[in-house]
Structures are given as structure tokens and as C-alpha cells.
Amino acid sequence: MPELPEVETVRRGLTPAMEGALLVRAELRRPDLRFPFPADFSTLVSGQHIVSLGRRAKYLLIDLEGGDVIIAHLGMSGSFRVEEGQMPDTPGDFHHPRGKDEKHDHVVFHLERAKGPARVIYNDPRRFGFMDLTRRDTLASHVFFRDLGEEPTGNVLDAAYLAARFAGKAQPLKSTLLDQKNIAGLGNIYVCEALWRSGLSPLRASGTLVDAKGKPKKTLVLLTEAIRAVIADAIAAGGSSLRDHIQTDGTLGYFQHSFSVYDREGEPCRTPGCGGTVARVVQAGRSTFYCPKCQK
Ligand SMILES: [Zn+2]
């Protein structure tokens, strides 16, 4: 499942192809993905210029000149690819070999640009992704966004912000960090990685990182830094993977990281000098990977 860094990588990859382009036509090849497309989706977006591409949590936001915003979520298996040049039925004009099964191409954005036509194609074999349409001026109150906490990428996510949310909580750190009302877009993988980096147990009560005056303890300062660092590192890794992808098949969506604890059950802990073994426990139905020896 794509997490925030993957979505950010997709945004960065699509931006040069889409920003400033005329969205000539949005071609829907089926009436629904996880949910039905909004009524008149294609009619409403077609003929508008694309102003910019943004992201909130794991949602890609495509801003159109008329104030409409296309909201796209990649679900479990969604990806975009860019095809530049003439239409695919024009012989000899394919820049990219086909890397994806075309029967899962569900949406095609046909673009006109100063540098030539392009198609941005959404492919999703499992169809857990979805698209919605809203207005920029009401975006913050949209049901997907109104309860979201701060992004783990900006300066607003600091130890004082988290202290206010952690204070007095007996809830395990893992659950508090996964709660999207606290941090938007932070998922299972990066919660595990950030807790490992900061030497904190996922089972520990969240309130133990806050002092009696409601101020963050040193542990919470380290955890906050670790959250921002794991996300920044993953986005940086996505950027390098993006360059590779563009050179191959134009597909944007997934890249492999080497994780320090995630999915490493039974393997040696990578904390220097620790000598512990990565364990797996299930919390709220999700696997948590951590080192019981150095994460306290
Ligand atoms: Zn360890």
C-alpha cells in the first residue's frame, strides 16, 4: 500500500507533465473505482487548465483553474503513468514500453501542453483507489480532510504539538501515532521506523512522553525528530527511484526502501551494539515490528 512518501513522489513525478496543461478530456473507463465517480465528473473537469498538484495526507490534489479540485487516492494498488507524444494508436510514437496490464487502466487524463500532448493514466488492479471532486474553497471542511492532524513534513509538527495530544493518554504510542487526527498520512511502516529510531517501545503509554506541566520530555522531542526524518528520508529515496522509473516505463507509484525494523521479524536489530532481535506484535489488527531490547 502506498504511504505518504509514495504519494508525494507521485505528485512530484506528475507535476512536470500536468502543471499548466489543458485537461482536454477525462476519460472514465468504468463508472466506479472503490466508490462511483461523482456525477458529471468528466464533464466538469474537461476543458479546464491544471493549476497545480498538491497533496494532503495520502490524497493527491489536482487544482483546476475554475476552483475545482480532483481528489485522488491510490488505495492499495493504484499508480499513474505518463505517456507523452501522439495517441497510442499512432504507430511508432510510444516512448514507454507497457509495464502494466492495460485492462486495469481505469482513468485517462488527455492533456494538451505547450511541449506537446500527453496522457496521464490511472491503473489500479484491485480498485481500492478512488477519485472525488470538490471545490478549493471548501476543501478543508471536506469529509476526507476536516479531522486530519498536521502533516509530518512541515514545521507545524513539533514536540509541543504532539505533547498536547499525548498528555494523559494511556493509549500505546503506536496507536496514538497512527491516529490520523494527530498526524495526517503517517502509516504503519513509518510509525514502526520512527519508534525504532527514537528507541521507544510501541507498547509504551503515550502520556509517559509528557511531563506534569504538559511539556514534551526529551523522548518526545527525539520521537518528533525521528518522525520527520523517516518521512523526509523516504521522500528523498522516492525521488531517486522516480528518476529510475521515468527512465524505464513512466510508471509512478511504488518504490522499495530498506526498512530498519518493518517486516524484519526474527532478524538482528540494526541499532549499533544492541544485539537484539526484531519482534512482531499485533496492535489494533496491524503488525508492529520493534526491538524489545533497545526500544523501551
Ligand atoms: Zn535493538
Side-chain angles (χ1 to χ4, degrees):
M1 177 188 288
E3 295 220 23
L4 186 153
E6 283 85 345
V7 181
E8 178 60 22
T9 299
V10 169
R11 184 191 75 77
R12 294 178 184 190
L14 290 177
T15 294
M18 297 184 80
E19 216 164 74
L22 173 65
L23 176 49
V24 177
R25 185 164 62 95
E27 176 188 351
L28 308 182
R29 294 185 172 170
R30 46 179 302 124
D32 58 3
L33 294 168
R34 192 195 317 179
F35 311 120
F37 288 98
D40 300 328
F41 179 88
S42 182
T43 311
L44 285 168
V45 304
S46 297
Q48 295 202 53
H49 281 91
I50 296 168
V51 177
S52 63
L53 269 75
R55 178 191 58 75
R56 176 75 169 114
K58 296 202 292 184
Y59 298 92
L60 189 66
L61 304 173
I62 304 170
D63 269 277
L64 305 176
E65 61 180 339
D68 296 302
V69 185
I70 298 171
I71 303 169
H73 194 286
L74 298 171
M76 305 284 285
S77 58
S79 65
F80 285 94
R81 72 174 189 276
V82 179
E83 293 180 355
E84 302 195 295
Q86 296 304 311
M87 292 297 287
D89 54 7
T90 307
D93 240 332
F94 253 123
H95 295 284
H96 306 299
R98 291 306 173 97
K100 294 272 180 177
D101 192 335
E102 281 179 63
K103 74 170 185 266
H104 302 302
D105 289 349
H106 302 310
V107 181
V108 183
F109 294 123
H110 297 268
L111 307 178
E112 256 326 316
R113 310 166 309 166
K115 58 187 170 186
R119 289 161 305 288
V120 171
I121 298 159
Y122 181 70
N123 182 289
D124 192 350
R126 298 181 64 185
R127 296 203 311 269
F128 280 102
F130 53 90
M131 290 190 195
D132 200 359
L133 189 62
T134 189
R135 301 284 302 171
R136 170 49 68 175
D137 52 10
T138 57
L139 188 72
S141 58
H142 189 281
V143 64
F144 296 155
F145 305 112
R146 65 187 177 207
D147 294 325
L148 287 181
E150 294 297 341
E151 293 280 324
T153 48
N155 292 327
V156 183
L157 185 81
D158 62 15
Y161 169 85
L162 287 179
R165 279 145 190 87
F166 283 26
K169 276 204 171 77
Q171 187 180 42
L173 274 178
K174 171 80 185 301
S175 309
T176 309
L177 292 173
L178 271 185
D179 185 343
Q180 301 295 296
K181 292 189 183 75
N182 295 325
I183 306 174
L186 194 64
N188 201 35
I189 293 173
Y190 297 103
V191 167
C192 293
E193 294 294 303
L195 286 168
W196 174 79
R197 279 202 201 192
S198 48
L200 293 167
S201 168
L203 308 170
R204 179 172 169 147
S206 305
T208 62
L209 304 193
V210 182
D211 72 16
K213 292 177 179 164
K215 298 274 184 268
K217 293 185 185 172
K218 183 78 193 299
T219 46
L220 184 51
V221 174
L222 291 175
L223 175 61
T224 310
E225 286 168 3
I227 291 166
R228 294 173 51 146
V230 292
I231 294 293
D233 289 354
I235 291 172
S240 45
S241 127
L242 189 59
R243 285 187 286 279
D244 298 341
H245 272 302
I246 284 176
Q247 284 162 14
T248 55
D249 71 349
T251 300
L252 307 164
Y254 301 95
F255 49 91
Q256 289 296 315
H257 298 302
S258 55
F259 298 116
S260 295
V261 278
Y262 185 80
D263 209 19
R264 293 192 63 242
E265 184 183 12
E267 294 180 44
C269 175
R270 288 179 177 160
T271 301
C274 170
T277 301
V278 175
R280 184 179 74 93
V281 291
V282 175
Q283 292 177 281
R286 312 280 303 272
S287 285
T288 300
F289 298 89
Y290 76 113
C291 172
K293 192 167 174 199
C294 67
Q295 291 182 246
K296 300 296 180 190

